[in-house]
Amino acid sequence: MPKLATPLTELQISKAKAKSKPYALADGNGLCLVVSPGGGKTWQVRYRLPDGTRPWPATIGRYPSLTLAEARVRAVEVQRDAKAGKVTAGAQKARRAALDANSAERIAEEKAATERQHASFRAVSGRWLAEKRPTWAPETHRKARLVVDSYLVPKIGDADMRTLETKDVRPVLVEMAANTPQLARKARQYVGSIVDHAINEGLRADESALRLARILPTIRSGHMPAVTDDDGQLGEVMRAIDAHGNRVVRAALLLASMTAMRSGVVASARWSEIDLEAGEWRIPGKEPDGSNRMKTGQDFTTSLPRQAVEALREMHARTAGDEYVFPPQARQQTPHVSRDSLSLALRQMGFQGQHTTHGFRASLRTLGRERLGIDVDVLEAQLAHAPKDEVEAAYARVKFREKRREVMQAWADYLDELRESGKVVPFKRKA
């Protein structure tokens, strides 16, 4: 004799959870509750036709719209009508009803899956990067994408931004801090910004920012190495650059030292921007794709000292007709020399930890002030630091244009004096 099903209770039904596949909870007398993977709960009842056959179970309603007590009554009615040959939900109709219920459940599940994908860290971070790209310099965007794609997405790419918590992010940042502390700090900054983006999209409540401030261990940070207090050492740097065997790298480093422009801007200099006769370099604030060329996004003009013009004329003889002033070196994927090539050259010349290409900006800011007495406002204007407001920015561009021409020639002459004050040592590449 088959074992009779134990009748269901409201508590059992309310606690029934979705599983990976549909399953049924029997109530007895042919009635059962089918729980779908999406969590939907549907009443089905088995019955016999007058010829003794059992057609497809009839779907009689969904819980909780149809309660347990009501489902039992309806099950008795279906079985009674079937026995009398008055089945209102025949086999085909019941099958269609079941298929319709499954289709609705499947549509709901697909919709939920699409929403989860849209709200995933992978998708939100991708939209965040796309939104930031027009306002960032190419190198800033490249670094952010590296951190997001290589460190964050592999760990938390599938995390739902609607429910993401600090505890979900902490292990990733702590692991990064142990191996790449500087990138970990960037990653923490990026995660905070990505969460803000999710809030702006309406995926999270306004007050749901993560608590990331104290996650990482405190580390001692410093500025990029630069010679700022030793004239003799800066003279050594200039002598080494002058003797460098690679004329492309040499010219790029000379341009960086005499204009104090950022290394990425120097490396990507275009001939269309440079007027050798006027001795000017007019740098557009934006790249053709709309991303920032200058950090401020504003057009900038710097004068070119006589020594910089000489170095550029040498390059003009080599690359006239090309788009970029400094062509790429062996195996480089960029259309121009990589800014990393400039930093690598200084390291190979023996200045690792002492001076970088970016360090010429600090050298001008400090030694230009202390040795040449250049006004601070003029120095800030030459370094293209963002003024406090637009009025001040316009004022600085107009007021200091000619003054900057004078002081940058004086700075180039000062570098020449330092270079000539000692013996020139030919550069030899380290093994």
Side-chain angles (χ1 to χ4, degrees):
M1 183 175 178
K3 184 179 179 181
L4 297 177
T6 302
L8 294 173
T9 66
E10 291 285 355
L11 182 61
Q12 286 178 295
I13 296 173
S14 63
K15 287 187 175 181
K17 303 298 183 183
K19 298 181 180 180
S20 58
K21 295 181 179 180
Y23 68 96
L25 299 174
D27 182 61
N29 298 322
L31 178 65
C32 66
L33 182 73
V34 179
V35 183
S36 74
K41 299 173 182 179
T42 305
W43 292 111
Q44 289 187 355
V45 59
R46 292 183 177 277
Y47 55 91
R48 287 183 185 274
L49 296 175
D51 62 3
T53 59
R54 286 184 177 273
W56 191 267
T59 299
I60 60 175
R62 295 172 64 86
Y63 181 87
S65 298
L66 189 67
T67 67
L68 174 58
E70 292 170 339
R72 287 170 176 166
V73 173
R74 180 63 182 140
V76 171
E77 292 174 348
V78 169
Q79 292 169 342
R80 183 191 59 205
D81 290 344
K83 189 175 182 180
K86 300 178 181 178
V87 180
T88 55
Q92 291 184 353
K93 186 175 181 180
R95 185 185 296 272
R96 285 197 300 271
L99 291 175
D100 289 344
N102 290 336
S103 296
E105 198 67 41
R106 187 162 54 251
I107 292 172
E109 291 169 4
E110 291 174 354
K111 180 180 179 182
T114 300
E115 290 176 351
R116 284 195 300 273
Q117 182 179 5
H118 178 79
S120 68
F121 182 89
R122 177 183 287 103
V124 175
S125 63
R127 296 194 295 273
W128 171 76
L129 283 167
E131 180 183 88
K132 292 292 185 182
R133 183 169 187 172
T135 63
W136 278 349
E139 180 61 19
T140 302
H141 183 266
R142 184 196 69 79
K143 182 180 291 185
R145 179 167 288 283
L146 169 69
V147 172
V148 170
D149 291 348
S150 300
Y151 293 91
L152 298 177
V153 166
K155 298 290 186 179
I156 57 174
D158 295 328
D160 194 327
M161 293 298 293
R162 295 171 295 185
T163 57
L164 187 75
E165 298 180 5
T166 303
K167 64 180 179 62
D168 302 321
V169 179
R170 185 179 185 280
V172 183
L173 296 180
V174 170
E175 181 181 351
M176 288 185 65
N179 301 309
T180 55
Q182 295 299 331
L183 288 184
R185 296 174 65 194
K186 284 293 184 183
R188 178 178 61 182
Q189 173 188 337
Y190 297 152
V191 168
S193 185
I194 291 168
V195 170
D196 286 343
H197 186 87
I199 292 174
N200 292 336
E201 287 189 336
L203 296 175
R204 298 173 66 91
D206 289 350
E207 67 278 4
S208 62
L210 303 186
R211 300 173 63 86
L212 304 174
R214 300 183 182 279
I215 283 183
L216 301 180
T218 302
I219 60 174
R220 186 184 300 274
S221 61
H223 299 289
M224 291 187 182
V227 177
T228 58
D229 58 2
D230 188 337
D231 301 70
Q233 187 180 20
L234 187 55
E236 292 177 10
V237 173
M238 297 309 298
R239 286 192 291 275
I241 291 174
D242 189 56
H244 198 283
N246 186 314
R247 305 302 286 183
V248 173
V249 172
R250 172 185 180 273
L253 286 172
L254 286 176
L255 183 63
S257 68
M258 294 177 188
T259 63
M261 291 294 98
R262 292 180 173 86
S263 55
V265 175
V266 171
S268 60
R270 295 177 171 88
W271 283 119
S272 59
E273 303 165 355
I274 293 175
D275 186 338
L276 293 177
E277 297 303 320
E280 283 191 344
W281 180 11
R282 304 178 186 95
I283 308 168
K286 300 281 188 180
E287 293 284 7
D289 64 1
S291 61
N292 278 9
R293 174 84 183 284
M294 294 294 292
K295 188 173 183 178
T296 61
Q298 300 294 320
D299 295 349
F300 184 81
T301 298
T302 180
S303 63
L304 295 172
R306 169 180 48 81
Q307 297 91 327
V309 171
E310 291 175 2
L312 288 171
R313 288 194 184 281
E314 178 184 341
M315 292 307 304
H316 192 265
R318 298 165 58 103
T319 63
D322 293 346
E323 179 180 5
Y324 293 98
V325 176
F326 307 111
Q329 302 305 285
R331 296 188 296 278
Q332 288 184 1
Q333 300 300 313
T334 53
H336 50 74
V337 68
S338 167
R339 72 174 192 173
D340 293 336
S341 295
L342 309 185
S343 300
L344 175 62
L346 287 171
R347 292 196 298 271
Q348 291 177 333
M349 286 186 278
F351 300 107
Q352 182 168 357
Q354 302 174 44
H355 193 75
T356 62
T357 314
H358 194 87
F360 284 115
R361 293 171 62 80
S363 298
L364 171 64
R365 181 63 176 78
T366 303
L367 294 175
R369 176 62 179 161
E370 295 180 356
R371 302 295 194 270
L372 305 180
I374 302 174
D375 185 87
V376 172
D377 290 338
V378 177
L379 289 170
E380 289 294 298
Q382 177 61 30
L383 293 172
H385 285 161
K388 296 179 180 179
D389 55 53
E390 295 182 1
V391 174
E392 184 179 345
Y395 178 74
R397 285 196 294 270
V398 173
K399 179 177 177 61
F400 299 133
R401 177 71 63 85
E402 290 304 317
K403 186 62 178 177
R404 285 194 291 118
R405 181 181 295 277
E406 296 175 11
V407 301
M408 293 314 294
Q409 184 60 58
W411 172 250
D413 293 341
Y414 169 70
L415 293 178
D416 269 0
E417 292 176 6
L418 296 182
R419 175 178 58 81
E420 295 168 359
S421 63
K423 182 179 179 180
V424 176
V425 180
F427 165 70
K428 294 183 180 179
R429 182 180 298 275
K430 292 185 177 180

